[in-house]
Amino acid sequence: MRVTIRDVARQAGVSVKTVSRVINGDGPVREATRRRVRAVIEALHYRPNAVARSLVTRRTMTLGLLIADVTNPFFPEVVRGVEDAGKAAGYTVLLGNTDEDPAQEERYLTLMQERQVDGLVLSGSRVEEGVLKAVADSGPWMVLINRQVRHPRILSILVDNADATAQATAFLIRRGHRRIAYLLGPSRAEAAQLRFEGYRRALQNHGIPFLPAYVVQEIPRMEGGRRAMERLLALPLPPTAVVAYNDLMAIGAMEAIREAGRRVPEDIAVVGFDDIVLAAYAIPPLTTVRVPKYQMGYKAAAALIDAIRSGRASQRVIRFKGEMVVRRSA
């Protein structure tokens, strides 16, 4: 038969309320009593009934985590950070892959609300701003990674995307490049637009004309980078350097350059963004902007849990810096 909280209370010689306080870590309980209750819990192999517990506490001790692309090596580190922070606070994380599809993201948002998650972390969100605000109005606290939406129950974890890409572009300019192309990411991604702005700003600051033909938008995967680079190579005057929205596009671009019989970086230099694990093992190793992916995920979950517990946001926007990692592709 299933061991109940009443069984634990009876064996420990305390009230049900005291056992509940020990389990939930709230309310005054003497240390000797706490140790005795814990010992009985272990001896009886008692596991709290999550449903019953949620009815009392009005919390399910679960977080929802939506990521844009489970195949992109950027996201596993974010997921690990969220999971580690959640686990440390006693939370379970439910994961959903939106596959860069706003409609799929909306379906997951509905599902997470139906599961009554206590909070949501969205990394790579693509849905309309109004959808996120509607969820936050009636649902759980929310943290967005790499996106900002102004709402009292929505927090943001951001990288200085524009500044980081401006630095990457300026790095190529200092290397003597003037024909610098940009591989643009998803149109719905706030990070993509900010990184593009950084690219344009660097060109302007160094007196280099912006050429629309040198900007190609594609899906943020290796095949997208490859297709984008093929279009750039077909231009009458191809670029001598490329800045990519992310590392996957950069690696795809390098493959297209090699297949065209050209060399990286001797003929065309390439710079990525994110510093995923694959970047160091690309051929040649990829120069890129390093983003603290694990720390962003951990901080997102920690800030979310703090807001859930306190009912307020101590810090609405948390910013991280990108860092240039120079290898051999540029």
Side-chain angles (χ1 to χ4, degrees):
M1 294 179 63
R2 183 184 180 90
V3 177
T4 69
I5 193 171
R6 294 185 183 277
D7 297 326
V8 175
R10 189 181 305 110
Q11 182 99 1
V14 298
S15 68
V16 169
K17 188 173 184 179
T18 298
V19 177
S20 178
R21 284 175 174 172
V22 172
I23 293 170
N24 294 316
D26 58 2
V29 179
R30 291 181 180 179
E31 185 57 34
T33 303
R34 189 182 303 277
R35 285 198 299 269
R36 187 167 75 252
V37 171
R38 286 289 179 197
V40 172
I41 287 172
E42 289 301 316
L44 297 181
H45 304 289
Y46 171 68
R47 295 294 177 267
N49 184 311
V51 175
R53 186 177 178 183
S54 67
L55 290 173
V56 175
T57 64
R58 297 191 177 183
R59 293 182 188 168
T60 59
M61 300 303 292
T62 57
L63 304 177
L65 171 58
L66 303 186
I67 60 173
D69 183 3
V70 73
T71 67
N72 185 335
F74 172 88
F75 292 104
E77 291 188 56
V78 173
V79 172
R80 183 61 182 269
V82 171
E83 279 197 322
D84 284 355
K87 188 187 302 180
Y91 280 82
T92 299
V93 177
L94 303 180
L95 177 65
N97 171 46
T98 67
D99 204 27
E100 302 277 359
D101 180 2
Q104 176 75 339
E105 185 177 341
E106 278 200 60
R107 287 192 289 272
Y108 265 121
L109 285 171
T110 300
L111 176 63
M112 293 294 183
Q113 285 182 286
E114 290 173 352
R115 294 293 181 93
Q116 297 184 331
V117 297
D118 295 331
L120 283 164
V121 177
L122 277 61
S123 185
S125 174
R126 305 287 186 254
V127 297
E128 296 290 341
E129 186 173 299
V131 173
L132 298 177
K133 288 182 175 180
V135 171
D137 282 339
S138 59
W141 282 87
M142 189 182 303
V143 177
L144 306 179
I145 296 178
N146 261 334
R147 183 175 182 182
Q148 186 171 9
V149 171
R150 299 189 184 280
H151 188 282
R153 291 174 61 84
I154 300 178
L155 317 181
S156 295
I157 305 291
L158 304 176
V159 173
D160 285 334
N161 284 292
D163 287 344
T165 308
Q167 290 177 30
T169 307
F171 168 82
L172 291 169
I173 294 170
R174 289 194 299 272
R175 293 279 173 111
H177 295 281
R178 292 296 180 270
R179 303 200 309 271
I180 304 172
Y182 186 74
L183 307 188
L184 183 61
S187 59
R188 288 177 176 267
E190 181 178 305
Q193 298 304 321
L194 289 171
R195 292 173 194 178
F196 179 50
E197 287 176 20
Y199 159 77
R200 292 198 63 171
R201 183 203 307 166
L203 295 182
Q204 184 177 20
N205 289 345
H206 290 83
I208 298 174
F210 169 71
L211 300 176
Y214 280 175
V215 178
V216 182
Q217 185 169 37
E218 259 291 354
I219 60 172
R221 295 171 179 160
M222 283 190 280
E223 60 266 33
R226 180 174 169 174
R227 287 195 296 264
M229 194 69 235
E230 287 171 350
R231 288 169 59 182
L232 290 169
L233 289 169
L235 292 173
L237 194 62
T240 63
V242 173
V243 180
Y245 164 71
N246 67 7
D247 288 344
L248 290 180
M249 295 186 81
I251 293 169
M254 290 199 295
E255 182 181 358
I257 293 167
R258 286 195 303 272
E259 288 181 352
R262 306 192 188 191
R263 299 167 299 164
V264 178
E266 291 84 358
D267 299 318
I268 302 176
V270 179
V271 176
F273 201 108
D274 288 337
D275 194 29
I276 61 175
V277 173
L278 291 176
Y281 299 96
I283 302 175
L286 181 64
T287 294
T288 185
V289 175
R290 176 175 292 158
V291 173
K293 300 168 280 299
Y294 175 87
Q295 290 85 348
M296 291 169 69
Y298 193 98
K299 191 65 178 177
L304 180 61
I305 292 166
D306 181 63
I308 292 166
R309 288 174 169 173
S310 66
R312 62 184 182 84
S314 58
Q315 202 173 353
R316 199 163 298 284
V317 178
I318 300 168
R319 295 184 184 275
F320 288 87
K321 291 283 188 183
E323 174 191 359
M324 279 293 295
V325 178
V326 179
R327 296 193 179 100
R328 297 205 298 273
S329 69

